[in-house]
Amino acid sequence: MKSKWTAADVPDQSGRIAVVTGANSGLGYDTAAVLAAKGAHVVLAVRNLDKGARAANQIKASSPHADVALQELDLSSLNSVHKAADELRTNYPRIDLLINNAGVMYVPTREATKDGFEMQFGTNHLGHFALDGLLMDNLLTVEGSRVVTISSVGHRILAKIHFDDLQWERGYNRVAAYGQSKLANLLFTYELQRRLTATGAPTIALAAHPGFSDTELMRYLPSILPKSLWKLATQPAEMGALPTLRAATDPAAQGGQYYGPDGIGEVKGRPKVVASSAQSHNVDLQRQLWTVSEKLTGVTYPV
């Protein structure tokens, strides 16, 4: 396969079931649109069903034969996660791809999820941790199934797992809180892959990051650059989605790999395997976070 991987390299996805969280806009939308165009049945797991319906209609307008469905999911509510997982388990006994895309970034002031978790950690990590655990049996029935979790270059910026104050109750730093959630995404991926390997499961876990992509997720970024310069510094969402798509569909991809742009600083470019921080590979941190996440969510895994 050529080195400059594009959406055209996504293999035929006919017969596959893909669940994409946060698929109504940005990276999630572009990921879902390509998978649907390639023949997958794509479930748009979204918080706002009206926005989800508009996204589904857009995908169908671009790809008339696209097969898409909606699933209500609010990752900031464990009740919603359980309800969505129950419905998905019933409707889709097999799931080929589970893409943990939804997230929030740089929330200006500390906000809490419906369960009292800091919003970025609760949504970006704990919500997906719970969802994946509840759906894992449906993935384990499928040879070649994959879990792809979206991290960020932000996993390196002020990033540390603050086990003594995971919910940022003693003092809130939006950049560090985001970094913690994105580091958690990688720690989760690597621990999940180790567990899958140890049990001989047919499923693999991978991660990806979009570089600097111009999406709604960036709305809380400090305005240090004029919009004209910001456009030059970023890449469009359809490019930012390519690392996710490669992790999800490239036949050569392997469990535990991390995909990101190939440009300078991994800011922009075509997707390739990239390295994550040394901290993200700390096995003790991975295991400790897993144990804490099980306790906080009440969800345990069959692997």
Side-chain angles (χ1 to χ4, degrees), residues 19-23 25-32 35 75 97-105 120-121 123-126 128-129 132 146-155 178-190 192 205-213 215 217-218 235 237 239-249 257-261 271 274 276:
V19 178
V20 184
T21 69
S25 65
L27 302 170
Y29 171 82
D30 284 291
T31 299
L35 292 173
L75 288 162
L97 297 175
L98 178 53
I99 299 180
N100 299 321
N101 166 81
V104 291
M105 178 180 180
Q120 297 182 91
F121 185 70
T123 302
N124 299 350
H125 170 62
L126 291 175
H128 281 123
F129 180 91
D132 293 8
R146 300 184 186 187
V147 177
V148 180
T149 301
I150 312 309
S151 184
S152 166
V153 292
H155 87 274
Y178 179 70
Q180 174 180 260
S181 73
K182 294 289 102 178
L183 175 58
N185 289 151
L186 286 166
L187 293 167
F188 161 74
T189 296
Y190 298 146
L192 176 58
L206 307 94
H209 82 81
F212 287 3
S213 296
T215 70
L217 195 64
M218 298 292 191
Q235 61 182 359
M239 283 291 291
L242 290 180
T244 302
L245 286 164
R246 187 164 192 179
T249 68
Q257 287 183 326
Y258 180 40
Y259 285 84
V274 297
S276 61

Side-chain angles (χ1 to χ4, degrees), residues 190-203 287 302-303:
Y190 298 146
E191 176 64 17
L192 176 58
Q193 178 57 38
R194 182 166 47 253
R195 288 166 174 259
L196 291 166
T197 299
T199 57
T203 306
R287 290 173 173 165
V303 293

